[in-house]
Amino acid sequence: MHELVGALRSYAWGSRTALAQLCGRPVPSAHPEAELWFGAHPADPAQVRINGHSTSLLDVVTANPQRELGSVAGEFGGRLPFLLKILAAEEALSLQAHPSLEQARVGFQRENRAGMALDSPLRNYRDENHKPELVVALDRFEALAGFRTPTVTVRLLHALEVPELEPYAELLAAQPDSAGLRTLFTTWIALPQVSLSTLLPKVLDGCVRYLSGRDEGSDSKRREFTAEIRTALELAEAYPGDAGVLAALLLNRITLEPGEALFLDAGNLHAYLRGVGVEIMANSDNVLRGGLTPKHVDVPELLRVLDFEPLDLPKVQPEVLGNGVFRYRTPASEFVLSRFELAPGDEPVPVPHAGPGIALCTHGAVGLLLGKDQLRVECGRAAWISAADGEIRARALDGAAQLFCAAVSEN
């Protein structure tokens, strides 16, 4: 068990306050801070503090995978199978999806054969892994996630009262299923710029009219889609003339309160909008983008991986294990995430890790106990737990504390 220092990544959509405050650094930060990576991904591995020296977690695992990963070393090719992050979004992330395992392997090899450098901005596949992901809100967290039930989307399009939208609404009404969603999304995302420049302003005018009349009379339609339509206007302001604004009208608009979670599997179109959360995923950095970004957009490849099946609100309800312990299970074999709400003076609680684990403190300070040894973990810091370590227990040190523990799923 050793202290683990996350790798800080800056993107334009990040926050200049959230991560700095969480980690006890001066606010505002010099640049937008978007993600703090706690993992062993080659792009940005965390640092393990051993005897006063810092060593890459990737190097630690590679040097002795059997000791560090235990019985899962063979199953995951000697690599840590999950990547744990703190994500802080001040602005919307790109409209994106992640490939399946087979799609990632094929795409990675294809781009290798084409001679694309791993750090090329035109590259879609930076590794051979898929990227199922779970995010747990630390504060209010807002997102677009998965295609909405088509019949509800038809109501939304009609509610805008834009004549130019009616053919598209009727298209989806005539085929209210995944095939209809595929047709409509593909049509919108591939619109010639001249057509988009005509349609999008009319849609946005409809959005403004909808919000202006939302409190008039008792028309429930004027209240049903307020969040979705306000989001479209916000995205249009940030990314004028972007087809992703139209695509956003097809997606579930979700708000997570602290402790609530969202799971997204391969092919689910999504865009995180704002908020701070703990995110865990398979150990991958593969992203296919479709808009709402200045980065590389590859619509044909995105269409190849998208899952157009309507997605019911994909919230994950945690298991309540008692003593302030909550566990978030998903279909992903690479990870399971637990949350500990620790009260001062309570007895230490076991931290599960059937193999490797990462324990991340997100509030207060936590003492991690291994035998007679204790490691103090401050807010915004973490601990690397080797498969060779024995039972770990956690307790609050200076007051109430919150701890997340990432481990390999036992499913």
Side-chain angles (χ1 to χ4, degrees), residues 1-2 67 323 327 340 347-357 359 367-375 383-395 403 405:
M1 181 176 65
H2 298 282
R67 180 188 187 282
N323 297 320
R327 184 166 297 161
F340 298 79
E347 287 295 311
V349 296
V351 175
H353 70 105
L368 294 179
L369 304 169
L370 175 57
K372 296 181 179 179
D373 297 327
Q374 174 172 287
L375 176 66
W384 168 247
I385 301 172
S386 165
D389 289 329
E391 182 186 62
I392 306 291
R393 294 171 297 142
R395 65 181 178 187
L403 183 76
C405 182

Side-chain angles (χ1 to χ4, degrees), residues 27 45 101 104 116-117 119 137-138 150 156 171-172 195-196 207-208 210 218 252 285 287 307 383-384:
V27 173
L101 191 56
M116 297 181 70
D119 59 355
L138 293 181
L156 186 157
L171 182 156
L172 190 57
S195 301
L196 183 62
C207 289
V208 172
Y210 180 98
S218 59
N252 292 302
D285 196 26
V287 180
D307 182 352
W384 168 247

Side-chain angles (χ1 to χ4, degrees), residues 208-386:
V208 172
R209 287 195 304 272
Y210 180 98
L211 293 180
S212 298
R214 67 185 183 277
D215 295 323
E216 293 179 2
S218 59
D219 186 356
S220 62
K221 290 189 296 184
R222 294 292 185 187
R223 296 187 294 274
E224 184 180 5
F225 301 113
T226 296
E228 290 84 347
I229 289 171
R230 182 175 288 127
T231 295
L233 288 170
E234 292 170 353
L235 294 175
E237 184 175 356
Y239 298 99
D242 195 309
V245 176
L246 291 176
L249 294 172
L250 305 178
L251 303 180
N252 292 302
R253 174 63 165 76
I254 294 174
T255 298
L256 301 178
E257 298 298 337
E260 293 185 327
L262 171 68
F263 175 73
L264 292 163
D265 211 340
N268 291 149
L269 190 64
H270 62 283
Y272 296 151
L273 299 173
R274 63 183 65 86
V276 182
V278 171
E279 188 179 24
I280 188 168
M281 61 199 65
N283 193 9
S284 174
D285 196 26
N286 288 326
V287 180
L288 285 306
R289 300 179 184 88
L292 308 179
T293 179
K295 294 183 179 180
H296 175 56
V297 171
D298 189 336
V299 169
E301 191 64 21
L302 176 68
L303 292 173
R304 196 191 313 243
V305 308
L306 275 185
D307 182 352
F308 288 93
E309 282 297 323
L311 190 64
D312 236 351
L313 295 182
K315 290 187 179 181
V316 175
Q317 297 299 326
E319 298 176 53
V320 181
L321 303 183
N323 297 320
V325 182
F326 304 85
R327 184 166 297 161
Y328 301 86
R329 293 192 182 275
T330 73
S333 62
E334 289 86 354
F335 59 80
V336 62
L337 188 66
S338 301
R339 183 180 103 240
F340 298 79
E341 302 293 341
L342 303 172
D346 283 358
E347 287 295 311
V349 296
V351 175
H353 70 105
I358 294 175
L360 168 64
C361 180
T362 52
H363 179 73
V366 174
L368 294 179
L369 304 169
L370 175 57
K372 296 181 179 179
D373 297 327
Q374 174 172 287
L375 176 66
R376 182 183 178 94
V377 183
E378 303 280 354
C379 187
R381 295 295 182 100
W384 168 247
I385 301 172
S386 165

